[in-house]
Amino acid sequence: MEISGIISAIVIGAIIGVLGRLVVPGRQHIGVFTTILIGIAAALVGALIAHALGVDDTKGVDWIEWLIQIGLAALGVVAVDRARARH
């Protein structure tokens, strides 16, 4: 992977993480860096799921892929927030 691919993965992951965090109601007790990491993971896993479903390469914006990624980021934010609340 080239440096431009890494930078774009970080930027897209940050956007996905923030969008996932916005979907979750209430206050989350996780930091920005954790949100970005969750977003990067959700973007990568969501891209794999979209590819497996065959919806990753459509004409125009890949809305279904974005929705999968944002949903995964929201689940990740909830999971990490709840795990931190227990400690």
Side-chain angles (χ1 to χ4, degrees):
M1 180 178 270
E2 296 179 11
I3 189 70
S4 62
I6 294 171
I7 292 171
S8 64
I10 291 171
V11 170
I12 291 170
I15 293 168
I16 294 292
V18 169
L19 290 173
R21 190 172 177 156
L22 288 174
V23 171
V24 177
R27 179 172 163 82
Q28 296 84 38
H29 303 288
I30 60 174
V32 174
F33 185 70
T34 305
T35 301
I36 292 171
L37 290 178
I38 292 169
I40 292 170
L44 293 173
V45 174
L48 291 173
I49 292 171
H51 179 71
L53 295 175
V55 295
D56 62 329
D57 191 21
T58 59
K59 294 182 180 181
V61 179
D62 296 325
W63 292 109
I64 297 172
E65 183 176 4
W66 274 78
L67 290 173
I68 292 169
Q69 292 169 332
I70 293 168
L72 289 173
L75 290 173
V77 166
V78 168
V80 171
D81 186 47
R82 290 191 180 167
R84 289 203 174 173
R86 291 183 188 147
H87 294 158

